[in-house]
């Protein structure tokens, strides 16, 4: 499959669509020239296709390329004159001694077997039957005589249905008259697709590194992806070239460049080896390092004493690179060597013996201070504590893992493995993190190391397995922590509560509560000076959080608020836990500030493994703030990244978030697709919170589309049914009240309304109080409803672009229209319509527009059809809903009418429209 070559394929298609023509595809090795020729052969299935390929070993044979090109045409030679047949028969044979090669002009040719006219006449004869396509690959290796004949034919193509497509590297003066197509590197997305297709499972950081190193060359992309070892696939990287860590060799690199490299002088090869061992080294650094290489130590400086001529010979100069420049292998610049192709460096490194590679790394360690420790580590063959300490100080997972390998003491090695596991986990390299943590567990008996490894294993389990199992792992580890490290225990219990929020396991809730009660009360803990200031508020927030997760009242938000105040001072991992717990307080402003900081920190610190979670939290915060479009962008980015990282649980939850936003926007296809994906993922990974979110999305979708009864079915599952989740239940309670009233099921509104009002009381958030008042107004008698609606709007505040405020404006406008106060209703309905349009909530905007129409204000955007102009606004409203398939009962619920009144309106409307049935109504509209 060709990736990223749409324009080039279009150019070849145009060539073959014409009567005749010629095109040369030029590009470096591996750019995809042969693949384009294969594409041309594929689409030319109804043509006569002739193929030849230049081969270095045959480039000295006169007309060898023509012999290959015309080999399949022999049955047609009988139609040519005898002398021409004889010329074709002798293609590929050596020319007679003393004769001038057949490459000169026909009129001057003295050799009677000149193939110019025979080849051209043969092509014309074939083209008389069907169009002919000549495909010449690697034309830069074609013999000059064949190139001359091809040039002769190209100049005459207008007279026949013949197309010639040539692929070559570099310049071909013999074919200078042919149009050229320069084949540059593929774009980033195509490069990513090539890597993913060649080596599935590569973590994103390594995939991006391969794409950056290959510079868009498809062959380099495939060779790098195929050549890296299992550790590199899972994220082990160093700042040196990827190829320096390969477990094997690239045969393709050796085929392309091995002979050319072996033909270079020793000094040139040594410099190329240094460049391959550190592609980022500057020219001055390479020249400085070269002195330590054997090729620059003639007679080991005669072992006698530093004679001036020997010292001069030991100095490397740019002149030592001239043979590589002449061979067009590299370009030399002060910034370093730029290879003509990445595989040149691969071949230079892999063709050198191990001893030479070690010498190169040791030499570079002295010349390149920035990467000194990496070169020392690459050259080390046995444990070295000093190198290990320097690597551990770098702090990346790759440096820590190499430090463990260079450490002899088992406990020290285990600590390095545990630290590497945590860094890998933060980077989203889950398989590697689990492997490193397991190694630490096998080596260590120290409680702190075991606890650190256990936290990593629990995190991995939460992302790819069961959140409930992960929470239990955290509780078990917290119980083993020494009394002098209460802060770590508190954080692990908080993490367990957070994970319980995704699992919904009541038995686990009891275990968490027991763990909290067994711990000293936060106010009674004698916190050491070294303990962080956030430990106490986090500890105080645990009991109310555990109660909430176990389905208890939403109380204790003062402690959560105190925790939120300390969150900016936390490390990113702890800040994510605190922000996740603090979001239950539903403080939109605080949530947005905290999550924005989290996302920024994850990006700047390259914490790719934490970024999907941070984006998930930010999308929830943006939804609370009414910024739906931004929420969708963040959730979509997080979903893609979580998928790349293999975070299956995060994929399930973020799919639910996308489904919820799609439901608000009325995007039924997207909502159902992502909700179904979320539900399937949750079923496999024991994550009822994500299932509740997806079920809420489906209920909100049905509510927005006017299918209230179906919406009730979905939402009841979340509030008090099999998809119940305590936090999401309160978030969707208002939707269930709305759906129950529209479906004329007032009994279904009692429990969610009570839940909503308790949430408003506990959190004391103005917007939640406003929603609770709106829902109370929906079930209140007409004499009480208006004051409740007005109070709700007052609590919402002035923000017009709020989804919940727009819902309140719509509900109040509907109530005013139903009570025949149409003029007042229109102002609220206009505000609702404008807000929904700004937010992208199309079904809700349509509902507001329909209500406006029923209140006597026709839509300015779409003039009424002629047939509907004789209807009253109320009749038009009923007719539109009936045409969409709604029953009389469903229409009555939407418009706050009785089913009998709906039937009456249809009875009056049908004669005005000249129809007698609902089927005719649907056809009419």
């Amino acid at each position: 499959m060709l990736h990223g070559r749409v324009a080039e394929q279009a150019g070849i298609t145009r060539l073959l669509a014409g009567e005749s023509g010629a095109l040369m595809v030029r590009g470096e090795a591996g750019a995809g020239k042969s693949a384009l020729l294969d594409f041309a052969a594929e689409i030319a299935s109804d043509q006569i296709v002739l193929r030849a390929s230049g081969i270095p070993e045959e480039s000295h044979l006169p007309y060898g390329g023509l012999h290959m090109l015309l080999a399949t045409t022999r049955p047609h030679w009988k139609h040519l004159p005898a002398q021409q047949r004889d010329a074709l028969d002798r293609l590929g044979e050596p020319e007679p001694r003393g004769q001038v090669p057949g490459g000169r002009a026909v009129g001057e040719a003295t050799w009677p077997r000149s193939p110019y006219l025979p080849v051209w006449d043969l092509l014309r004869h074939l083209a008389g039957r069907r169009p002919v396509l000549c495909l010449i690959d690697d034309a830069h290796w074609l013999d000059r005589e064949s190139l001359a004949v091809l040039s002769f034919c190209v100049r005459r193509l207008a007279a026949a249905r013949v197309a010639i497509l040539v692929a070559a590297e570099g310049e071909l003066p013999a074919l200078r008259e042919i149009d050229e197509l320069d084949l540059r590197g593929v774009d980033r997305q195509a490069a990513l697709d090539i890597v993913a297709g060649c080596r599935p499972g590569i973590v994103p950081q390594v995939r991006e590194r391969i794409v950056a190193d290959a510079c868009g060359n498809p062959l380099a992309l495939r060779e790098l992806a195929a050549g890296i070892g299992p550790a590199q696939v899972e994220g082990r990287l160093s700042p040196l070239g990827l190829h320096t860590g390969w477990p094997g060799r690239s045969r393709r690199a050796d085929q392309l460049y091995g002979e050319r490299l072996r033909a270079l002088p020793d000094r040139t090869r040594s410099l190329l080896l240094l460049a391959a061992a550190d592609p980022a080294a500057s020219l001055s650094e390479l020249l400085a390092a070269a002195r330590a290489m054997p090729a620059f130590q003639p007679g080991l400086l005669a072992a006698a004493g530093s004679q001036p001529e020997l010292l001069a010979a030991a100095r490397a100069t740019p002149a030592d690179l001239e043979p590589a420049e002449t061979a067009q292998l590299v370009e030399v610049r002060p910034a370093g060597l730029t290879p003509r192709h990445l595989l040149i460096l691969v071949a230079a490194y892999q063709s050198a013996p191990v001893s030479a590679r070690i010498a190169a790394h040791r030499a570079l360690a002295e010349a390149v201070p920035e990467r000194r420790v990496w070169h020392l580590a690459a050259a080390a063959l046995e444990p070295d504590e000093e190198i290990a300490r320097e690597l551990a100080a770098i702090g990346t997972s790759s440096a820590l893992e190499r430090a463990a390998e260079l450490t002899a003491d088992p406990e020290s090695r285990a600590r390095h493995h545990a630290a590497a596991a945590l860094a890998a986990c933060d980077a989203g390299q889950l398989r590697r993190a689990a492997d490193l943590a397991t190694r630490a567990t096998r080596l260590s008996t120290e409680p702190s190391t075991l606890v650190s490894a256990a936290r990593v294993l629990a995190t991995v389990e939460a992302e790819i397995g069961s959140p409930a199992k992960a929470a239990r792992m955290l509780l078990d580890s917290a119980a083993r922590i020494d009394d002098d490290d209460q802060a770590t225990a508190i954080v692990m219990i908080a993490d367990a509560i957070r994970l319980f929020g995704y699992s919904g396991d009541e038995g686990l809730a009891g275990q968490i509560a027991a763990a909290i009660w067994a711990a000293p009360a936060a106010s009674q803990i004698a916190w050491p000076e070294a303990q962080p200031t956030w430990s106490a508020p986090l500890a105080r927030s645990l009991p109310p959080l555990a109660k909430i997760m176990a389905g208890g009242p939403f109380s204790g938000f003062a402690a959560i608020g105190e925790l939120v105040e300390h969150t900016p001072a936390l490390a990113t991992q702890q800040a994510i836990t605190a922000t996740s717990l603090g979001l239950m307080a539903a403080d939109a402003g605080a949530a947005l500030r905290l999550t924005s900081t989290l996302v920024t920190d994850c990006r700047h610190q390259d914490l790719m493994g934490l970024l999907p979670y941070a984006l998930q939290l930010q999308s929830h915060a943006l939804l609370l703030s009414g910024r739906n479009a931004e929420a969708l962008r963040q959730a979509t980015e997080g979903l893609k990244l979580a998928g790349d990282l293999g975070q299956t649980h995060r994929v399930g939850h973020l799919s639910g978030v996308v489904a919820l936003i799609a439901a608000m926007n009325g995007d039924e296809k997207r909502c159902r697709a992502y909700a179904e994906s979320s539900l399937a993922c949750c079923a496999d990974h024991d994550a009822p919170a994500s299932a509740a979110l997806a079920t809420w999305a489906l209920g909100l979708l049905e509510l927005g589309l006017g299918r209230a009864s179906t919406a009730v079915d979905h939402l009841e599952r979340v509030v008090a049914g099999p998809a119940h989740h305590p936090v999401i239940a309160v978030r969707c309670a208002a939707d269930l009240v709305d759906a129950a009233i529209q479906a004329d099921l007032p009994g279904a509104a009692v429990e969610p309304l009570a839940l909503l009002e308790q949430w408003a009381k506990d959190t004391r958030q103005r917007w939640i109080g406003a929603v609770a008042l709106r829902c109370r107004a929906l079930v209140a008698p007409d004499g009480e409803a208006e004051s409740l609606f007005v109070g709700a709007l007052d609590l919402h505040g002035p923000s017009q672009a709020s989804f919940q405020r727009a819902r309140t404006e719509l509900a109040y406008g509907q109530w005013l229209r139903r009570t025949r106060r149409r003029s007042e209703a229109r102002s609220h309905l206009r505000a609702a319509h404008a807000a929904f349009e700004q937010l992208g909530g199309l079904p809700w905007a349509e509902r507001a527009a329909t209500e406006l129409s029923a209140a006597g204000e026709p839509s300015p955007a779409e003039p009424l059809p002629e047939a509907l102009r004789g209807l009253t606004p109320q009749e038009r409203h009923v007719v539109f809903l009936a045409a969409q398939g709604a029953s009389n009962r469903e229409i009555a619920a939407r418009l706050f009418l009785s089913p009998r009144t709906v039937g009456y309106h249809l009875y009056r409307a049908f004669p005005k429209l000249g129809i007698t049935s609902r089927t005719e109504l649907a056809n009419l509209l």
Side-chain angles (χ1 to χ4, degrees), residues 14 46 51 93 123 226 232 263 468 556 590 617-618 792 829:
R14 286 193 297 271
D46 60 339
R51 302 195 70 155
E93 293 182 5
L123 292 177
Q232 289 174 298
L617 296 175
Q618 188 174 46
L829 294 172

Side-chain angles (χ1 to χ4, degrees), residues 421-497:
L422 179 59
C425 196
D426 287 348
Q429 299 163 8
L430 298 179
R431 294 191 304 270
R432 182 160 168 260
D435 178 61
L436 290 166
T438 302
R439 288 191 228 170
T441 302
R442 291 171 180 165
L443 286 169
S444 180
T445 58
E446 289 184 356
S448 59
T449 301
L450 294 174
V451 166
S452 179
R455 290 182 68 185
V456 169
L457 292 171
T459 301
V460 174
E461 176 63 30
E463 289 296 349
I464 66 175
S466 164
K469 181 179 178 181
R472 289 193 181 92
M473 292 167 67
L474 288 170
L475 289 178
D476 292 342
S477 298
R480 295 197 297 267
I481 294 177
D482 295 336
D483 291 341
D484 60 353
D485 193 9
Q486 285 289 329
T488 301
I490 291 298
V491 168
M492 294 181 76
I493 294 172
D495 273 342
I497 292 175

Side-chain angles (χ1 to χ4, degrees), residues 50 81 235 402 834 848:
L50 308 179
R402 182 59 176 145

